[in-house]
Amino acid sequence: MRVKQVFKASLLASMLACAGAAHAELTIGVIMSLTGPGSGLGIPAKNGFALWPDSIGGEKVKLVVLDDATDPTQASKNARRLVAEDKVDLIIGSAAVPPTLAIADVALETQTVQLAISPIETPEGKDAWTFRLPQSTAVMAGGVVDQMKKQGVKTIGFLGYSDSYGENWLKEVQRLAPAAGIKVGTVERFSRADTSVTAQALRVVSANPDAVLVVASGSGAAMPHKALVERGYKGKIYQTHSAASRDLIRLGGKDVEGSFVVSGPAVVPEALPDSNPSKKLATDFVTRYEKQYGAGTRNLFAAHIYDAQLVLQKVVPEALKKAKPGTPAFRAALKDALENSGNIQISQGTLHYSAKDHFGLGDDARIMLTIQNGNWKAANP
């Protein structure tokens, strides 16, 4: 009899231990660039969580937020801590490309889903657990080259980051430009930490291209733009979607007036026709975000965070059919649900992930903006 009692007690303890392995809430690790060069992207992105619901799929949401200081090493340490100590079910982050790539390595190693809000490019297979919320560089570069062709641009200069974000943009523009009758001429690079690009700007200006593509992000996008204007450049200046923030307008002032920035449609839902399936969601994002943070604060990276909860509303209930949060089985089920989710309507367009495509957004997810009177306006309404 005593043996049976000991066995029952042991069995009960084992069952309780197993039950304790799956927590009763959805734990999400958030790694953002809240300090450093990427803070102009990371802070508004973090603010976007104010628009989230308290629960998703019936599970209470618990956020664990860490600052990567725009540093890949810190981002990697944060990701390992979130997985090992906080037992997160997924990771969202980061805002800048270098730390996002570092998180992707940990996501792959630990088999933890990463929702990236930076459009990182990785070698085949390295993104098996990483799903991007922004548009791919190829999609956005296509929009820039199309606009240049419409405006009769024949030659362009390149002034951009010397990291993977800059290199990916250069590669895509060099691939797409020739078919549009555009020649890529002078190429100049600079570091995210640089405080001056005078020499690079002078070399670009001296080549006198019809247009210049500046590849930078957040507050860092204003400095090279102003350097070109201050050195006498009179041609068209284009910027990428990482520059689609109020920092560009605030810091660039009159020097960025009339420039062009490719973006997701969430920044200007007013320019979308009523038939656009993203208009209602984009309008909801802008209305709620600006009510919380003030008129004109709408931001592409905050929109990515708004979209993250839309994605999770779709896939978490599917993953819960297979496993409970807090387990490797749930993380695997979440990955499977993302790859088989079908169309998900978000503020940026229609998202469709698959096992082979972890970007998921197409040409409908881009819009060309221009800056007029210190505000965004659709270049092609």
Side-chain angles (χ1 to χ4, degrees):
M1 182 64 114
R2 178 174 176 77
V3 172
K4 289 184 179 180
Q5 288 175 335
V6 170
F7 175 76
K8 287 180 179 179
S10 177
L11 180 61
L12 178 60
S14 178
M15 291 172 65
L16 288 172
C18 290
H23 42 68
E25 58 191 3
L26 186 67
T27 303
I28 300 174
V30 178
I31 304 175
M32 285 296 154
S33 301
L34 303 179
T35 57
S39 60
L41 310 177
I43 291 172
K46 177 179 176 289
N47 291 344
F49 285 104
L51 309 185
W52 272 42
D54 293 330
S55 63
I56 294 177
E59 299 287 333
K60 184 179 179 182
V61 173
K62 176 185 177 182
L63 300 176
V64 182
V65 182
L66 300 176
D67 176 18
D68 62 38
T70 325
D71 175 47
T73 301
Q74 187 60 48
S76 180
K77 289 179 180 177
N78 287 349
R80 293 187 184 282
R81 175 204 140 167
L82 289 171
V83 174
E85 299 179 20
D86 297 287
K87 311 296 182 185
V88 298
D89 297 299
L90 70 146
I91 297 172
I92 297 177
S94 179
V97 166
T100 306
L101 284 167
I103 297 167
D105 288 339
V106 178
L108 179 65
E109 178 188 332
T110 62
Q111 297 189 341
T112 304
V113 167
Q114 174 194 17
L115 290 181
I117 64 166
S118 183
I120 60 170
E121 304 280 349
T122 61
E124 186 176 354
K126 292 279 283 184
D127 68 343
W129 288 80
T130 297
F131 297 79
R132 292 83 158 178
L133 290 162
Q135 302 82 345
S136 68
T137 303
V139 165
M140 296 311 233
V144 170
V145 171
D146 285 351
Q147 184 72 13
M148 289 179 173
K149 183 178 180 180
K150 288 177 185 177
Q151 295 180 315
V153 171
K154 297 298 181 183
T155 58
I156 61 173
F158 177 95
L159 180 58
Y161 283 154
S162 55
D163 60 20
S164 57
Y165 185 66
E167 290 303 308
N168 288 334
W169 263 93
L170 179 60
K171 179 184 70 175
E172 289 299 330
V173 170
Q174 288 177 329
R175 179 178 68 86
L176 296 168
I182 300 171
K183 180 181 178 181
V184 180
T186 304
V187 174
E188 293 291 335
R189 300 174 174 86
F190 61 97
S191 167
R192 287 177 185 256
D194 287 348
T195 57
S196 172
V197 292
T198 299
Q200 297 96 317
L202 282 170
R203 286 192 286 270
V204 172
V205 172
S206 65
N208 195 31
D210 296 334
V212 177
L213 174 63
V214 173
V215 179
S217 61
S219 58
M223 189 243 319
H225 195 123
K226 287 177 70 67
L228 290 167
V229 175
E230 289 167 357
R231 270 78 196 164
Y233 184 68
K234 302 297 184 182
K236 296 177 175 64
I237 300 179
Y238 294 80
Q239 294 254 11
T240 72
H241 51 320
S242 283
S245 76
R246 293 296 302 183
D247 279 347
L248 177 63
I249 297 174
R250 177 176 60 84
L251 297 173
K254 62 180 178 59
D255 289 337
V256 300
E257 285 284 316
S259 60
F260 298 89
V261 181
V262 69
S263 173
V267 176
V268 285
E270 301 90 343
L272 302 176
D274 291 341
S275 59
N276 188 300
S278 286
K279 181 166 186 173
K280 184 177 179 180
L281 291 169
T283 301
D284 179 66
F285 158 68
V286 167
T287 301
R288 293 173 59 199
Y289 191 82
E290 295 195 345
K291 182 179 180 181
Q292 184 91 6
Y293 297 105
T297 55
R298 63 186 72 181
N299 179 277
L300 192 62
F301 285 80
H304 292 323
I305 297 301
Y306 173 88
D307 289 340
Q309 56 89 20
L310 295 177
V311 172
L312 293 177
Q313 296 276 15
K314 178 76 177 286
V315 301
V316 167
E318 293 302 312
L320 287 169
K321 294 176 182 178
K322 298 180 179 179
K324 292 295 184 183
T327 64
F330 180 77
R331 298 200 297 271
L334 198 59
K335 175 178 181 292
D336 185 63
L338 284 161
E339 292 178 340
N340 294 281
S341 58
N343 289 340
I344 305 176
Q345 202 60 53
I346 60 175
S347 71
Q348 305 284 5
T350 304
L351 187 65
H352 190 121
Y353 292 128
S354 68
K356 294 184 177 180
D357 182 6
H358 284 193
F359 271 102
L361 287 171
D363 293 350
D364 68 318
R366 70 188 183 208
I367 187 171
M368 184 60 67
L369 305 177
T370 187
I371 299 173
Q372 288 188 6
N373 300 317
N375 212 341
W376 299 116
K377 183 178 179 181
N380 306 302

